[in-house]
Amino acid sequence: MQGTFGVAFAILSFRQAEINPAAYRRLFMSDSDANTNPRFRWLMVASIVVGLTAASYMTFESLSFLQNGDTGHRLCSFSTRINCDASVTSPYAFVQGMPGVPIAWVAFLFFVSIAGLLSVARWLPKCAFVASATLAVLCVMAASVSAWMFMILIFKLKTICLPCMSIQIASYCLCAISILSLRGFLRSVRWSSVVVLFMGVQAFYGGGLAALLNFETNHLEPKPVDVAREVNRYLVEPAKLDPSLLPSALGKSTGDKIQILCFIDFQCPECRKTASLLPGWLGNLKDKCRIIHRQFPLDAAVNPYKPNGMHTQAGLAAKAAISFHRLGISEPLEQRMFKNQRSLSLQTIFNLAAAANVNTNSLFQMMESAETRDALAHDIELAHASGVSATPTLFIDGRQVTLYYEPEVLRGIVTAELARQEPQRSLGKLDN
């Protein structure tokens, strides 16, 4: 509705202006302030260069995060306050509804478009009107979006991202220059039409910002979870995984420990997050649980159920993890592999093994042995038979835990399992 009002206000303002069409044309022709004033022209070029540089860097970091899952150690992170890691890894870094498209890429295209329009307005006088008009509209739109992103940075993420703010400042400068180039036009029209046009622009972009904020509230803000309902749903859900198919019956709770079985991929960002945060999510129940990692690499070279898998080093890491487990040193080296998600080459794995005093030649032979390949194939087949299609996927006693990342839900399920295992513990005490 606000967008409709904006269009109506704009039409009304141009009807009120009552000036010769030549005045409109004179505004955007090559003799306007923005095209003839060297300071304006070079300030626009400088803003475009700064914006392109910052947008290129943030696009690279966002795509690297999507590909490799790296969550820190960027060049633009200097402290907890001046830190762009939170910006790159947040949902706000990507176009809503298009999680694989970084907002920085959109900003990059914006600055490229502005550079093209500026060149057209400068060197093709016959096209100056259309080019300059389009440039002005794009700059105002970019400034509006930049204001929204600035509020997200400061009030939502509570951080200062220097490349992001460079993009925003460059957008503000381009918007200001576009407005300054309108000085001759503003002197030739009625002030009432300017006020009405301003109201129309505010209504139009206000509607757009309201839509964005509404989308953010509905899709990005955490929703309250009914813990009791989720726990009950878990308890009545039939088992998808048969723990007896695992070596040594791993995954079957015995009464002393609740076994949490997790299928992982060492290049998966969520797997890294879950591996580091899962003990904290369990809270004071972590001593009553045993976390078991099984392999489901999203690597087409080893996983026939993921022919389009993009984690090309995950299969190698999975074989290394199985070998580490056979050597009895899996837990510390798994954590180190997660920390090196960006590069899990054979050399990286050898370096990690050497730091743990593991003979790399013996490790390589074990990784390439038939036993390791069979163990990896067994994990993949078991995961597929249990309905696993993504990582991480958690099971407790064969039942999948979907909201494992909700600490209250996870603790509620573990508590329910402990209560269900209580008769077994009591029976064991009587037998003794």
Side-chain angles (χ1 to χ4, degrees), residues 51-61 104 108 167:
L52 277 175
T53 303
S56 300
Y57 175 72
M58 291 303 290
T59 299
F60 168 77
E61 290 293 352
F108 177 85
I167 294 172

Side-chain angles (χ1 to χ4, degrees), residues 290-423:
R290 182 185 179 191
I291 301 172
I292 304 165
H293 288 158
R294 311 303 291 186
Q295 307 303 319
F296 190 71
L298 308 182
D299 184 349
V302 298
N303 191 337
Y305 304 107
K306 290 295 176 181
N308 299 319
M310 298 177 61
H311 294 172
T312 56
Q313 296 177 326
L316 185 66
K319 290 192 289 185
I322 293 172
S323 301
F324 292 151
H325 179 76
R326 293 172 62 188
L327 293 171
I329 53 173
S330 60
E331 186 172 348
L333 287 175
E334 280 187 358
Q335 295 174 356
R336 293 173 189 172
M337 282 200 294
F338 273 128
K339 291 180 179 179
N340 288 271
Q341 276 187 329
R342 185 176 287 247
S343 175
L344 279 175
S345 64
L346 186 61
Q347 185 60 52
T348 300
I349 293 172
F350 282 173
N351 292 340
L352 297 176
N357 297 319
V358 175
N359 184 280
T360 54
N361 291 328
S362 299
L363 174 64
F364 181 75
Q365 293 177 1
M366 188 175 294
M367 288 173 60
E368 296 301 317
S369 66
E371 292 84 354
T372 299
R373 290 198 299 269
D374 291 344
L376 176 57
H378 181 274
D379 281 0
I380 293 173
E381 291 295 335
L382 180 61
H384 177 69
S386 304
V388 176
S389 60
T391 55
T393 301
L394 273 69
F395 292 90
I396 297 178
D397 268 357
R399 293 180 177 87
Q400 184 176 346
V401 183
T402 54
L403 295 181
Y404 62 87
Y405 47 83
E406 294 286 349
E408 292 185 5
V409 173
L410 182 62
R411 289 194 291 267
I413 290 174
V414 171
T415 301
E417 281 292 344
L418 288 170
R420 187 156 58 179
Q421 297 292 330
E422 182 64 31

Side-chain angles (χ1 to χ4, degrees), residues 48-259:
I48 292 171
V49 171
V50 171
L52 277 175
T53 303
S56 300
Y57 175 72
M58 291 303 290
T59 299
F60 168 77
E61 290 293 352
S62 298
L63 293 177
S64 297
F65 168 69
L66 280 180
Q67 178 68 26
N68 302 316
D70 180 57
T71 56
H73 314 297
R74 290 176 177 81
L75 296 176
C76 50
S77 299
F78 302 100
S79 65
T80 55
R81 186 61 177 168
I82 303 177
N83 192 309
C84 61
D85 294 337
S87 174
V88 171
T89 59
S90 74
Y92 302 101
F94 301 91
V95 178
Q96 306 308 324
M98 302 174 66
V101 181
I103 284 185
W105 172 242
V106 179
F108 177 85
L109 294 179
F110 162 74
F111 288 111
V112 170
S113 301
I114 294 301
L117 291 169
L118 185 62
S119 300
V120 170
R122 173 63 178 168
W123 303 110
L124 298 175
K126 292 184 178 181
C127 301
F129 176 80
V130 175
S132 299
T134 306
L135 184 149
V137 171
L138 287 178
C139 288
V140 174
M141 291 176 61
S144 301
V145 176
S146 294
W148 178 67
M149 293 303 298
F150 178 78
M151 291 188 292
I152 293 297
L153 275 175
I154 300 301
F155 299 108
K156 287 284 186 181
L157 303 180
K158 301 184 185 303
T159 187
I160 295 175
C161 173
L162 294 181
C164 298
M165 298 190 75
S166 298
I167 294 172
Q168 293 159 10
I169 292 173
S171 300
Y172 298 148
C173 288
L174 290 173
C175 182
I177 295 170
S178 299
I179 294 175
L180 286 174
S181 68
L182 305 179
R183 290 183 300 177
F185 171 71
L186 294 177
R187 286 195 293 264
S188 65
V189 299
R190 295 180 179 179
W191 279 106
S192 60
S193 66
V194 175
V195 173
V196 174
L197 179 59
F198 176 78
M199 292 173 61
V201 171
Q202 290 297 312
F204 185 79
Y205 290 110
L209 287 176
L212 288 173
L213 293 174
N214 181 63
F215 185 93
E216 170 203 336
T217 302
N218 293 335
H219 297 271
L220 297 179
E221 292 294 331
K223 302 292 190 301
V225 177
D226 189 334
V227 176
R229 184 182 66 181
E230 294 299 328
V231 173
N232 290 333
R233 183 167 64 180
Y234 162 83
L235 292 174
V236 301
E237 183 179 273
K240 294 182 178 180
L241 181 147
D242 185 358
S244 65
L245 297 177
L246 292 167
S248 304
L250 289 177
K252 179 66 175 176
S253 299
T254 61
D256 297 326
K257 291 278 189 179
I258 299 299
Q259 309 285 4

